[in-house]
Amino acid sequence: MPVTCKEDKRSLTALVAGELDHHGAKTVMEELDRRIDAAQPRELTLDLSGLTFADSSGIAVLLRAHRRMGQVRGAMRVVNTPDQAGKVFRAAGLERIIRFE
Amino acid sequence: MKIENQVTLEFPSRSANEGFARTAAACFAAQLDPTLEEVNDIKTAVSEAVTNAIVHAYPDTLGKVLVRLRIREGNALEIMVKDWGVGIADVERARTPLFTTGSEERSGMGFTIMESFMDTLKVRSTPGKGTSVTMLRRIARRAVR
């Protein structure tokens, strides 16, 4: 479950690829925590274009990143959400909390 | 509803098997000629049920997880996920959105996702004996192209 990060000034872009299930979620969470703590970004962009599957473990990953960004007083947006993952996130009402573009 | 085909998978509660179980379910469901969205719904629901068995049924041990897939009359897929783990004391509460006994990695949305992606969901559980989750999803017949 690879996470590839790009930093530009104080904005951090994280590309999450592969399958985001319980098996892979912990690694992604820890990597995002580490990158957010190190970069202290004003904005985090989660790019999900490489995501091939997500279940409710993905919901937990997004909520955790969102909370972490709140702690460092930054904003978060999620881009390029594939249809399958988007349906899971909508079923949980995530669009009321997180900015999807 | 008559059973037209059936397959049973059995594996230890290792998280690496989550991907295997949902992919196997998707392959078996292919004979119903589902749309991509229907296949994705099946994969997602199986992933949730199997993850519950792996995370919650056997918190400190490895145990057996069984997935039985059946094609039922009327172009329907029945999925049963069974474990012999700790069981759920209060099934109604477990089905409540955001309820979880798990760590921060869990969202508490597993049953909500299964309910919204499947047509029916039945949960049977006995504390100390185990849990079985049975779901049914009808696949719309498409016109012959």
Side-chain angles (χ1 to χ4, degrees):
Chain A
M1 193 67 215
V3 181
T4 317
C5 291
K6 277 185 297 192
E7 257 183 83
D8 181 26
K9 290 174 191 151
R10 293 199 56 197
S11 84
L12 177 67
T13 302
L15 270 139
V16 182
E19 304 207 306
L20 195 46
D21 61 3
H22 156 254
H23 184 64
K26 198 173 179 182
T27 323
V28 175
M29 269 186 188
E30 287 170 355
E31 181 64 11
L32 288 175
D33 281 359
R34 209 172 59 77
R35 298 302 298 234
I36 292 168
D37 290 351
Q40 300 272 312
R42 283 206 184 89
E43 187 177 62
L44 168 68
T45 303
L46 275 184
D47 185 341
L48 304 184
S49 54
L51 198 66
T52 50
F53 177 81
D55 62 15
S56 67
S57 310
I59 298 169
V61 169
L62 261 56
L63 286 175
R64 166 119 157 206
H66 181 257
R67 200 160 49 234
R68 203 82 172 187
M69 284 306 293
Q71 286 165 358
V72 301
R73 296 176 188 282
M76 180 177 119
R77 63 189 188 121
V78 180
V79 300
N80 300 322
T81 310
D83 289 346
Q84 185 274 333
K87 194 171 174 182
V88 172
F89 299 153
R90 277 196 306 280
L94 226 52
E95 73 281 1
R96 286 176 296 192
I97 304 167
I98 288 169
R99 206 165 100 217
F100 289 89
E101 288 174 9
Chain B
M1 281 156 76
K2 212 175 92 189
I3 302 159
E4 294 176 346
N5 200 3
Q6 173 174 318
V7 68
T8 305
L9 314 167
E10 197 188 294
F11 47 83
S13 55
R14 294 190 187 280
S15 63
N17 290 323
E18 293 159 6
F20 163 72
R22 64 174 175 264
T23 307
C27 289
F28 184 73
Q31 61 198 287
L32 293 169
D33 193 25
T35 61
L36 181 59
E37 187 177 3
E38 286 164 337
V39 171
N40 284 335
D41 289 355
I42 289 161
K43 282 175 76 174
T44 310
V46 169
S47 198
E48 299 296 350
V50 168
T51 301
N52 273 352
I54 287 171
V55 176
H56 300 289
Y58 305 109
D60 308 309
T61 50
L62 275 182
K64 187 168 80 173
V65 180
L66 185 139
V67 178
R68 191 191 66 199
L69 305 160
R70 281 176 166 172
I71 305 287
R72 289 206 175 259
E73 204 177 18
N75 227 44
L77 179 72
E78 182 194 272
I79 303 157
M80 186 188 75
V81 178
K82 189 173 166 60
D83 67 67
W84 290 262
V86 297
I88 304 168
D90 187 343
V91 170
E92 278 317 301
R93 194 158 168 242
R95 288 175 72 154
T96 309
L98 301 176
F99 175 83
T100 182
T101 56
S103 58
E104 215 193 335
E105 292 143 47
R106 314 303 315 142
S107 67
M109 294 304 287
F111 278 125
T112 306
I113 303 282
M114 287 181 245
E115 272 170 359
S116 58
F117 285 26
M118 295 287 110
D119 294 327
T120 62
L121 171 72
K122 266 192 296 188
V123 184
R124 284 182 162 186
S125 191
T126 311
K129 294 247 169 101
T131 303
S132 78
V133 172
T134 309
M135 306 178 273
L136 191 83
R137 173 67 189 257
R138 278 194 179 77
I139 304 298
R141 285 189 201 277
R142 284 185 282 168
V144 178
R145 281 151 294 190

